[in-house]
Amino acid sequence: MAKKKQKKPLISPGVKLFLILILIPASITIYFFAFLAWQELKSLPFISDLVQSEMDIVQENLDLKIPEEYIPIYMAAEEKYGVPWTLLAAHHRIETRFSTMKTLVSPVGAEGHMQFMPCTFVGWGHPTCSGLGEGEIPEEEKTNPKIIKKYGGYGVDANQDGIADPYDIEDAIFSAANYLAKAGVSKGELKKAIYNYNHSEEYVDDILYYYHLYEDVSDELEQLILATDESKTIDEVK
């Protein structure tokens, strides 16, 4: 039986290698210019309006919309501490209605965007701490990361400006994530962590209610945030 002649490949290995060497930089160049074009498009008013409109639609069933400028901060805190950003948003919603309350100091002395008692923020090891945790901590010590570390507090200097400030939104959210992670979230014990944040079963129910609401729309919100310039904030905070 006569041997079948082997068909020669249409493209020789040498030509294939040559095409690969050409196509790789070409693909990178196309991607680069497409990226630049998208960056320019995002700055156009109608693109921003479109994203904002989508944001409103996604949140139309929420009684109080999550301010989009906070979502990248929640997400960055989740990245660092493993606390769902939707849980942080739920706490922020309950504690200060996303920082829209007239005062960020409660009647019992809780302070800032996420309502920390001073002794929880600075540390219960501080010699003035007792009772509910208001303490008599000097103002210069309340935001000092070294003092907070010394007394075992949960305050965090998230933006690396040298102070851990419960009235700074990034510091406050990261501090809340730090607390919740250590209070049980890191072990999957969400209810325990929430209860430790505020010893009330009603509080736990309220937080979980909003947590589940936000979980239902979290994927859409994340995609919208990452499609805008707000995504830069995530990288900066990380």
Side-chain angles (χ1 to χ4, degrees):
M1 184 181 290
K3 291 184 179 180
K4 291 184 179 180
K5 292 183 179 180
Q6 291 184 346
K7 292 183 179 180
K8 291 184 179 180
L10 295 176
I11 302 176
S12 67
V15 174
K16 286 182 180 179
L17 179 60
F18 176 73
L19 290 174
I20 291 171
L21 292 175
I22 290 178
L23 289 174
I24 289 177
S27 300
I28 293 172
T29 301
I30 292 170
Y31 174 82
F32 176 73
F33 282 107
F35 175 79
L36 291 180
W38 172 238
Q39 296 300 312
E40 289 297 322
L41 282 173
K42 285 194 297 184
S43 65
L44 296 176
F46 81 91
I47 293 293
S48 298
D49 292 342
L50 180 62
V51 172
Q52 185 59 54
S53 176
E54 287 293 321
M55 189 77 68
D56 291 339
I57 292 171
V58 170
Q59 300 197 73
E60 64 182 354
N61 292 324
L62 303 181
D63 62 347
L64 189 62
K65 294 174 183 176
I66 306 171
E68 63 179 283
E69 65 269 22
Y70 295 149
I71 297 177
I73 306 175
Y74 302 143
M75 292 170 65
E78 176 182 7
E79 179 74 17
K80 183 168 184 179
Y81 294 101
V83 176
W85 76 259
T86 45
L87 182 61
L88 294 169
H91 276 275
H92 197 184
R93 163 65 180 81
I94 292 296
E95 293 293 349
T96 59
R97 293 180 62 84
F98 298 120
S99 304
T100 60
M101 296 174 67
K102 290 183 178 179
T103 177
L104 295 182
V105 180
S106 77
V108 297
E111 299 178 338
H113 299 279
M114 301 298 274
Q115 294 291 279
F116 273 95
M117 292 302 291
C119 290
T120 303
F121 196 82
V122 176
W124 281 86
H126 194 280
T128 70
C129 286
S130 62
L132 293 176
E134 189 170 6
E136 297 179 4
I137 305 169
E139 289 300 319
E140 64 273 13
E141 292 187 1
K142 279 186 177 181
T143 58
N144 188 325
K146 291 182 179 179
I147 294 295
I148 292 170
K149 182 177 180 180
K150 177 180 178 181
Y151 293 117
Y154 294 94
V156 173
D157 175 17
N159 53 19
Q160 301 296 305
D161 63 356
I163 61 173
D165 185 359
Y167 294 97
D168 177 275
I169 188 64
E170 292 176 348
D171 291 355
I173 290 172
F174 271 59
S175 298
N178 182 30
Y179 180 91
L180 289 166
K182 293 175 180 175
V185 172
S186 62
K187 297 179 180 179
E189 300 173 331
L190 266 68
K191 287 187 177 181
K192 176 184 175 182
I194 297 167
Y195 185 81
N196 282 335
Y197 204 99
N198 188 329
H199 293 182
S200 163
E201 292 295 342
E202 183 180 357
Y203 179 84
V204 174
D205 291 340
D206 288 343
I207 293 292
L208 288 175
Y209 170 76
Y210 284 105
Y211 166 62
H212 291 303
L213 274 184
Y214 301 159
E215 276 289 294
D216 289 341
V217 296
S218 62
D219 288 343
E220 294 96 325
L221 289 176
E222 287 174 24
Q223 290 173 12
L224 287 169
I225 287 297
L226 292 172
T228 68
D229 286 337
E230 291 298 329
S231 61
K232 295 177 182 177
T233 306
I234 299 173
D235 294 331
E236 289 170 0
V237 174
K238 286 180 184 178

